[in-house]
Amino acid sequence: DTAVSQTPKYLVTQMGNDKSIKCEQNLGHDTMYWYKQDSKKFLKIMFSYNNKELIINETVPNRFSPKSPDKAHLNLHINSLELGDSAVYFCASSHRGAADTQYFGPGTRLTVL
Amino acid sequence: AQSVAQPEDQVNVAEGNPLTVKCTYSVSGNPYLFWYVQYPNRGLQFLLKYITGDNLVKGSYGFEAEFNKSQTSFHLKKPSALVSDSALYFCAVRDFGWYQAGTALIFGKGTTLSVSS
C-alpha cells in the first residue's frame, strides 16, 4: 500500500488556468506538508497543516491555497497559473513531534506553458 | 535561523569504495538532522536521522551518518558503494519555530552521488 500518494503525477497546463493537486496519506499521521522543488532541485516548504489547522504558510503567492478536508488529505489549489509555477510539488506527512520523520509522496511535476 | 550546507555538488566514487557525502549545519539549539535520497523522477526516501544519543547513526541500505557537534557536521557514509546508490542526496535540519507541530525541514541544496562500475 502506498503511504503518501499524490495525483496527478504529471500536470501540463496553460498559463492562467486553475489546477489542483491532491495528496493522501494512510500512515495515520496528523501533520501534512507541501514542498516545492524548483528546476535546480532546491526544496522549500510551502505549507504545513496539523490536525487540519494551518501551521506554516511561507511566503508564497496567495494564488496557492491549501485545503485539508481531514487529517489524511491535504490538497493544493493553484489559481491563475504562471510560468514560474513550473516545478515539482511534494506532499509529505509525519506525526506532530519535531523528531518525527516526514514521509514524502512521489511528487507532481507541474509544467505551465 | 536553522540551515544546512552541502559543500559538494557532486561526489564521484568507484563501486566497492567507501563514500562520504558531506553536510554541515547551523542551529541555535540541539539539531534534529536528516538524510534523504532522491532517485530520478522519484520522491524523497528517508535514510536516517539524528535526534540524540549515539553519534553514529545507522540507516537504510547500509548507510550511516556521523554526528559531530564540535564540527557541526553530519556526514553520510557507506563502507562500500554500489552503482545503484547513484542518486541525489539531501541533508536536512528541522526548523524550530515557536510551534512544535508541523515544523518544516530545511534542506541543503543536494549532492549528486555518482558510483561508477
Side-chain angles (χ1 to χ4, degrees):
Chain A
D1 283 344
T2 304
V4 183
S5 60
Q6 294 178 229
T7 54
K9 189 170 175 61
Y10 299 97
L11 187 52
V12 181
T13 188
Q14 300 288 330
M15 274 197 317
N17 284 352
D18 302 340
K19 291 293 179 185
S20 293
I21 306 172
K22 295 185 176 182
C23 178
E24 176 181 3
Q25 55 93 5
N26 62 5
L27 297 168
H29 292 156
D30 56 8
T31 307
M32 296 185 72
Y33 312 79
W34 279 110
Y35 287 86
K36 179 180 180 180
Q37 185 175 45
D38 64 21
S39 59
K40 296 184 177 180
K41 305 293 187 183
F42 185 68
L43 281 153
K44 188 173 180 183
I45 184 71
M46 298 176 71
F47 304 101
S48 77
Y49 270 74
N50 174 253
N51 280 326
K52 298 167 50 180
E53 179 185 353
L54 181 65
I55 301 296
I56 297 175
N57 185 359
E58 287 293 314
T59 307
V60 299
N62 57 15
R63 299 180 293 103
F64 290 79
S65 54
K67 286 188 170 49
S68 182
D70 55 58
K71 288 195 300 184
H73 296 84
L74 180 61
N75 303 323
L76 183 65
H77 188 75
I78 316 170
N79 289 327
S80 303
L81 278 156
E82 300 178 357
L83 293 176
D85 298 332
S86 295
V88 181
Y89 293 85
F90 287 102
C91 177
S93 73
S94 73
H95 291 297
R96 63 173 290 127
D100 290 309
T101 301
Q102 292 184 21
Y103 293 92
F104 285 75
T108 296
R109 183 176 294 276
L110 171 64
T111 303
V112 182
L113 303 175
Chain B
Q2 271 66 238
S3 66
V4 291
Q6 294 181 243
E8 301 155 318
D9 289 336
Q10 178 143 350
V11 170
N12 298 310
V13 64
E15 189 173 33
N17 284 357
L19 69 87
T20 298
V21 183
K22 296 180 180 178
C23 173
T24 58
Y25 65 88
S26 174
V27 300
S28 54
N30 292 322
Y32 289 178
L33 295 159
F34 301 77
W35 275 103
Y36 286 82
V37 59
Q38 184 177 21
Y39 297 100
N41 299 315
R42 303 278 294 276
L44 279 77
Q45 295 181 29
F46 168 72
L47 284 177
L48 51 80
K49 66 182 177 184
Y50 173 82
I51 303 302
T52 186
D54 281 343
N55 290 341
L56 187 63
V57 179
K58 293 190 183 296
S60 306
Y61 313 121
F63 283 94
E64 57 190 27
E66 187 171 9
F67 173 70
N68 188 315
K69 189 171 183 177
S70 63
Q71 297 185 4
T72 62
S73 66
F74 188 56
H75 299 333
L76 182 70
K77 300 182 179 186
K78 188 174 183 181
S80 178
L82 299 172
V83 172
S84 56
D85 293 330
S86 298
L88 181 59
Y89 290 79
F90 289 98
C91 182
V93 66
R94 202 68 180 257
D95 183 27
F96 287 96
W98 55 268
Y99 41 79
Q100 180 173 358
T103 52
L105 289 170
I106 305 299
F107 286 90
K109 62 181 174 66
T111 298
T112 298
L113 173 67
S114 179
V115 182
S116 56
S117 57

